[in-house]
Amino acid sequence: MKAFVHEQGELRFKNMDEPFADHGLVTVAIRAAGLNRRDLSIPKRRGSDADALVLGSDGAGVIESVGEGVSDVSVGDEVVINPAVRWDENSDAPPEGFSILDGTFTEKIVLPANQVEKKPEHLSWDEAGVLSLSALTGFRALFTKGNVMEGDTVFIPGAGSGVASYLIQFAKNAGARVIVSSRSAKKREQAQELGADKSIDTNSDWPAELKDETVDLVIESVGRATFNRSLEILKKGGRMVVFGATTEDTVELDLRAFFYGQYQLFGSTMGSRQELKAMLDHVSKHQVRPIVDRTFTLDEAEQAMDYLAEGKQFGNVALRISE
């Protein structure tokens, strides 16, 4: 069985043993998987003597076998993989022991039965394969933490990411007005085609561009490069949710301006199985379709990693594992 791994400081393909579904486990034959920015960071933080780790947290496929004691899913079921490990019920923060799944850039994976959910029927394999991690992240940030409401204006810096492509659709489904930023004119156009009401150049004067807007909620993931700029255009008493930092992690904050502005700041990451199910219901109800910018084969996994690292994509990058 072929897998794309990080081993001994290098990215490589490796033949792995066929997995076996023991008690409470299921085997998923993966049809498609999704790349995320964490797949780029994992090799950087692992040692040069580290054993083989199969990369990938997102995936979708078909249940090939089930172990004893499994009753919720059956052989032949089409499923998406839950990338959040040991986080079942919604909570203010992930519980002790929470981790993010690895191991989907392979032909088959064995998981606990509660790590899979039924695939939304309207999605293709490529769409389902890129769904879970970024859509769950966006869903929690927008609804659980951001408490988006009908009539809100939501500002999303960095319109091209996979999470942003879900945030735009989810916020519009909730009845919100959506504003995005990007340095790329093409990505600004694509965001508006997806449903954004307004797009601005990241390099523009944000207060001037948004002087006629009242921004109720900012969903931030860029980090130092945009954090204070986002705070500047947020209304007094407004809400900011931060779920990532693609630029530098550390920001300088004017505390006096912050507490006089009565701003509300929330951290967010991933989401629980309860939220995943709510997200999948939302996707099915509103017929949300993930934006797949480009699909690579498993043999092209390293090229796909390079493409994601360039940051030129709008939406998600998929790996086709099998037909």
Side-chain angles (χ1 to χ4, degrees):
M1 180 186 75
K2 183 187 292 185
F4 185 63
V5 306
H6 180 258
E7 183 180 30
Q8 306 296 318
E10 295 182 359
L11 295 171
R12 61 180 61 155
F13 291 97
K14 185 169 185 174
N15 287 321
M16 312 285 284
D17 293 336
E18 290 272 341
F20 172 74
D22 208 337
H23 185 88
L25 304 176
V26 299
T27 303
V28 179
I30 297 180
R31 296 289 187 262
L35 278 75
N36 295 283
R37 296 203 68 84
R38 75 180 302 267
D39 299 312
L40 303 179
S41 65
I42 288 173
K44 296 176 183 178
R45 65 173 184 258
R46 299 187 82 228
S48 59
D49 59 349
D51 293 336
L53 174 73
V54 181
L55 297 177
S57 304
D58 266 332
V62 178
I63 299 292
E64 186 174 86
S65 65
V66 300
E68 293 182 9
V70 174
S71 58
D72 293 341
V73 293
S74 303
V75 172
D77 284 352
E78 298 183 348
V79 297
V80 295
I81 292 170
N82 177 5
V85 181
R86 294 180 294 275
W87 189 2
D88 291 328
E89 300 298 322
N90 186 17
S91 54
D92 290 338
E96 194 73 28
F98 162 75
S99 64
I100 300 175
L101 179 77
D102 294 305
T104 63
F105 294 173
T106 184
E107 294 172 312
K108 297 178 185 179
I109 187 172
V110 165
L111 301 158
N114 63 3
Q115 287 296 134
V116 299
E117 303 292 341
K118 296 293 179 66
K119 175 178 95 58
E121 293 181 359
H122 69 286
L123 298 185
S124 70
W125 282 119
D126 289 355
E127 291 169 335
V130 303
L131 178 67
S132 296
L133 190 149
S134 51
L136 175 57
T137 298
F139 191 87
R140 177 176 173 85
L142 185 68
F143 291 102
T144 306
K145 293 292 188 175
N147 192 30
V148 69
M149 294 177 282
E150 185 176 0
D152 277 352
T153 294
V154 180
F155 180 60
I156 306 165
S161 72
V163 179
S165 69
Y166 295 113
L167 285 168
I168 293 168
Q169 296 183 80
F170 292 167
K172 291 305 297 180
N173 292 340
R177 176 173 171 79
V178 175
I179 304 171
V180 302
S181 74
S182 176
R183 289 172 295 181
S184 164
K186 181 180 179 181
K187 289 183 181 181
R188 295 196 298 271
E189 180 181 347
Q190 289 173 303
Q192 292 196 234
E193 290 173 353
L194 189 56
D197 297 282
K198 184 181 180 71
S199 62
I200 62 174
D201 190 332
T202 300
N203 296 322
S204 67
D205 182 338
W206 289 7
E209 290 280 352
L210 302 178
K211 65 182 186 306
D212 297 324
E213 302 284 351
T214 300
V215 177
D216 302 283
L217 172 63
V218 174
I219 308 292
E220 249 290 349
S221 65
V222 180
R224 184 174 182 176
T226 60
F227 181 90
N228 281 301
R229 300 181 72 196
S230 292
L231 199 59
E232 187 178 10
I233 55 89
L234 182 62
K235 77 174 186 180
K236 297 296 190 292
R239 312 180 301 283
M240 181 188 286
V241 179
V242 180
F243 70 85
T246 54
T247 58
E248 294 181 59
D249 292 356
T250 304
V251 301
E252 292 184 359
L253 181 63
D254 184 334
L255 286 176
R256 190 169 299 276
F258 186 85
F259 65 68
Y260 268 114
Q262 303 281 298
Y263 299 110
Q264 303 173 70
L265 179 62
F266 302 90
S268 186
T269 187
M270 289 283 288
S272 64
R273 187 185 184 197
Q274 182 181 3
E275 289 164 305
L276 176 67
K277 289 182 176 183
M279 181 273 288
L280 293 172
D281 287 344
H282 181 101
V283 165
S284 294
K285 177 182 177 180
H286 295 281
Q287 295 290 285
V288 173
R289 285 195 174 276
I291 305 303
V292 180
D293 177 272
R294 188 169 170 184
T295 299
F296 296 81
T297 65
L298 179 59
D299 290 336
E300 299 169 326
E302 195 158 2
Q303 294 171 245
M305 298 270 282
D306 292 341
Y307 181 72
L308 182 65
E310 292 173 0
K312 295 180 180 179
Q313 86 287 351
F314 181 85
N316 303 271
V317 178
L319 280 184
R320 181 77 53 76
I321 307 297
S322 65
E323 298 298 333

